[in-house]
Amino acid sequence: MTTRHCCIFYISHIVLSILLLVRLAPFALADENDPARRTAVESAKAEAAALLERGKGTDAYELYMRLLREAPGDGAVHLGLARAAARIGRWNQAVLALEMLLEKYPREAALYDQLAHAYLALNDRAGAERVQQAKRDLGLDGGAGDAAFPMDALEQRYSLFQVHGKIYGGILYDSNANQGPSSEDVQLGDWRVKVPEAAAKESLGGYLGANLDIGRKFERDGNWWAVGDVQTYLRGNANNDLGKLRGRESQWGRAALGLRRLSAETLLDVRAKAEIFDYEWYQRVTAFGPEATLLLAVSPSVQLITRGGIDKREYSRDHLRDGAYWTVGQYARFFFSESNHEFTVGAQYRGSAPQKQDYACNGWEISTRLLFKLPHGFEFAPFASMSRDYYHGPSTALEIKNREDENLRLGSGLTYRINESWSLELGYRYGKSTSTSNLYDYDQHYISSGIAWNF
C-alpha cells in the first residue's frame, strides 16, 4: 500500500469514527441516570420501533444493537431486537434476545413460542422441544400439551428444501366457449359474409389442474434459493359442436427453473420457462424464454411489484405467427385492516414481433384486484381489467382498417377453506370484447365450481 493510500485509509477511518461518535453522543456523554441520556434512549427506541413498523428491518436491527449496549436491561429493547432480527433472518441474535427476555419474564407463554420458533428456523428441533418442555413444566400451555405449538408445521416451513402445491378440479359453464360473435353473419369491411361455425357456442364442461412449487435454499442464513415450478391445466367441453372447431378439449402445461434472492425488504425471482398450449393435440403453441419478478416492500402494508418476460413462440399450424412476444408490468399491493385484506392495482404493456407484420401487436392493460379475508374461513376476491390491443394489419383480407381490440373483464372468486389442506372454490367471470373486426366482437360468461387440495 502506498503512502497516499495509507493517508486516505486513515483519514476515512477517522471520519467514520467521528460520525459514529456523533450518532452515539447522546448515550456516551451522559451518565446512566442522567435525564438527557434517558431521553436520548427513549427517542432512539421510538425511532427503532418506527423503522420496524415501516418494514426497515435492517435499519431497525442496527439501531437496536446499539441500544442493547447502552440499555442492556431494557426489556423493550430485547423484544424489539428479537423482532428485527427475526425479520431479517438473524435467528441467532433473535434467540439471544428472547432468552434474555425469558430470564426477566419467565411466565410469558408467548416468549417460549417465539423462542421455539427461532430454534426451528436454525434447524435446531431439539432446542425448540426443550423450550416447549420448559413451558409445559410451568403449566403455561393451558393443558393443551404438544398440541399447543405447531412443531411439525414450523419445522417444515424453515426447512432448506421447500415443496408446496395444489391439485384442483371441478365443473364449469361457458356461455361462449369458442369466443365467437353472436351470429355467423358478420360484417368484414364492406362485405357482409357468413362464416360457418363461427357463432358463439355455449357449453358445460370440467377442468383439472395442478401446481407444484419447489425451492432449495443454498445456505441457512443466506438469501439465495434455487427455485422451480411445474403447472398444468386441462379442460373439456361437453358441446360436441366444438369438436368441429378442434376446440372441445384444451391442454396447457408449464415448467420453469431459476434463482430467487429473498430478503426482509426485497424479492428477486428470475426463471427460464417453457410452456405449451394445445387444442385437442392439434393446434399447438409452444413458448420458451426468461421471466423475472422484483418485489420491494416499501413498508409492511405497501409492496411494489415489477414483472416482465419475453417468449419465443412457435405455432404448429400458422408459422407466420412465430416470433418474439414480451410483456412488462408494474403493480402496487396494499394490505389493510387487522384481517390483512389486500388491494392490488397495476398496468402492463405488451408487444410482439411475429414473422408476418399484420399479426404484430402492441397493447396495454390496467387491472385491479381485491382480496377480503372474511370470518369462518371465507375469502372473497373481486377483480377487473381493461385492455386494448393494436395490430399492425387488418384481421382478414376483406378488411382495410387495422385490427384494434378492446377487452373488459369483470369477475370474482369465493373460497371456503375447510381446513389447512382442503378448500371449496366458486368463480365467475364476465368478458366483453369490442373490435374493429366483427369476428372478435363477443360477450362471455364463465362460471366454475370445484374443490382444491393444498399441500
Side-chain angles (χ1 to χ4, degrees):
M1 182 182 292
T2 66
T3 303
R4 180 174 176 270
H5 290 160
C6 288
C7 290
I8 294 173
F9 173 80
Y10 287 119
I11 290 171
S12 301
H13 182 74
I14 291 170
V15 171
L16 180 59
S17 300
I18 291 172
L19 291 174
L20 288 173
L21 284 172
V22 170
R23 177 66 172 168
L24 299 176
F27 304 140
L29 300 179
D31 181 77
E32 185 176 349
N33 296 318
D34 185 83
R37 181 185 185 282
R38 291 199 302 271
T39 300
V41 170
E42 291 301 320
S43 175
K45 285 165 57 179
E47 181 184 351
L51 287 169
L52 193 58
E53 185 66 25
R54 295 199 303 269
K56 306 295 184 181
T58 301
D59 294 339
Y61 174 81
E62 292 173 354
L63 186 49
Y64 275 123
M65 286 297 290
R66 291 195 290 270
L67 278 166
L68 183 64
R69 292 191 290 270
E70 300 302 324
D74 193 320
V77 172
H78 294 154
L79 183 58
L81 178 59
R83 291 176 59 204
R87 184 174 183 83
I88 64 174
R90 301 283 186 91
W91 293 107
N92 282 308
Q93 189 59 57
V95 166
L96 292 174
L98 289 166
E99 286 180 340
M100 287 188 287
L101 272 174
L102 275 174
E103 289 181 4
K104 295 185 65 175
Y105 308 104
R107 298 201 64 80
E108 286 293 329
L111 294 178
Y112 289 92
D113 289 346
Q114 293 176 38
L115 181 55
H117 192 127
Y119 272 121
L120 288 173
L122 290 169
N123 200 26
D124 185 356
R125 176 156 183 150
E129 291 177 340
R130 185 171 60 252
V131 170
Q132 286 300 299
Q133 185 59 52
K135 175 185 171 184
R136 288 191 291 271
D137 291 344
L138 292 171
L140 300 177
D141 61 349
D146 292 339
F149 186 79
M151 188 79 69
D152 293 335
L154 284 173
E155 185 178 34
Q156 175 60 33
R157 174 180 172 183
Y158 290 109
S159 170
L160 294 179
F161 183 69
Q162 298 281 332
V163 179
H164 302 287
K166 176 180 177 180
I167 300 175
Y168 57 98
I171 58 174
L172 62 88
Y173 166 77
D174 195 333
S175 69
N176 192 348
N178 60 321
Q179 296 181 346
S182 58
S183 170
E184 293 183 353
D185 295 318
V186 295
Q187 186 75 30
L188 300 179
D190 296 329
W191 302 85
R192 189 76 181 178
V193 298
K194 182 174 183 178
V195 182
E197 304 295 337
K201 293 177 171 52
E202 66 176 354
S203 181
L204 293 172
Y207 64 92
L208 179 66
N211 305 334
L212 181 67
D213 293 295
I214 302 172
R216 176 63 166 83
K217 198 172 187 180
F218 291 128
E219 298 178 354
R220 177 157 299 279
D221 295 328
N223 299 117
W224 288 96
W225 293 72
V227 293
D229 67 85
V230 179
Q231 302 178 44
T232 186
Y233 180 83
L234 311 175
R235 169 174 165 171
N237 297 301
N239 188 339
N240 290 327
D241 290 341
L242 291 168
K244 302 174 184 178
L245 303 173
R246 301 280 186 174
R248 190 174 178 186
E249 301 170 3
S250 62
Q251 304 85 24
W252 172 80
R254 164 195 161 103
L257 289 173
L259 293 172
R260 174 185 295 163
R261 188 184 188 280
L262 179 63
S263 68
E265 289 87 24
T266 60
L267 178 149
L268 174 62
D269 191 294
V270 180
R271 306 187 187 200
K273 69 169 184 178
E275 293 186 66
I276 182 169
F277 186 83
D278 206 313
Y279 282 106
E280 296 192 358
W281 308 110
Y282 176 75
Q283 303 178 73
R284 183 175 63 256
V285 183
T286 56
F288 307 89
E291 62 181 19
T293 299
L294 174 63
L295 183 149
L296 173 63
V298 180
S299 73
S301 59
V302 180
Q303 296 177 347
L304 298 179
I305 306 167
T306 305
R307 293 193 180 100
I310 183 168
D311 300 336
K312 183 181 183 300
R313 297 185 189 176
E314 296 180 357
Y315 289 74
S316 64
R317 306 195 67 80
D318 191 352
H319 291 296
L320 294 178
R321 296 182 184 272
D322 294 355
Y325 294 75
W326 60 86
T327 63
V328 61
Q330 181 63 56
Y331 306 86
R333 179 187 296 158
F334 304 90
F335 301 90
F336 59 97
S337 88
E338 294 182 357
S339 299
N340 218 27
H341 304 311
E342 298 178 24
F343 171 61
T344 303
V345 61
Q348 179 193 91
Y349 176 80
R350 50 183 176 246
S352 62
Q355 290 188 20
K356 185 176 181 180
Q357 182 68 11
D358 284 359
Y359 293 147
C361 174
N362 298 87
W364 54 263
E365 178 184 87
I366 56 174
S367 61
T368 183
R369 181 179 182 270
L370 281 160
L371 175 61
F372 295 104
K373 299 176 182 179
L374 306 176
H376 310 297
F378 285 95
E379 291 183 355
F380 177 59
F383 61 88
S385 70
M386 172 71 75
S387 66
R388 196 168 185 92
D389 293 305
Y390 303 88
Y391 289 83
H392 296 188
S395 174
T396 67
L398 298 177
E399 297 169 285
I400 300 175
K401 188 176 181 180
N402 287 357
R403 177 183 166 188
E404 294 183 12
D405 294 351
E406 184 174 280
N407 297 287
L408 172 68
R409 299 288 183 267
L410 302 171
S412 63
L414 181 65
T415 301
Y416 171 60
R417 300 195 177 281
I418 303 171
N419 52 41
E420 288 287 332
S421 300
W422 292 93
S423 58
L424 299 176
E425 300 176 335
L426 177 65
Y428 168 75
R429 183 175 71 244
Y430 168 73
K432 180 175 179 59
S433 178
T434 304
S435 177
T436 54
S437 174
N438 282 172
L439 279 174
Y440 300 98
D441 280 334
Y442 66 87
D443 291 290
Q444 183 180 37
H445 298 269
Y446 177 91
I447 302 171
S448 63
S449 177
I451 188 168
W453 176 53
N454 300 275
F455 59 92

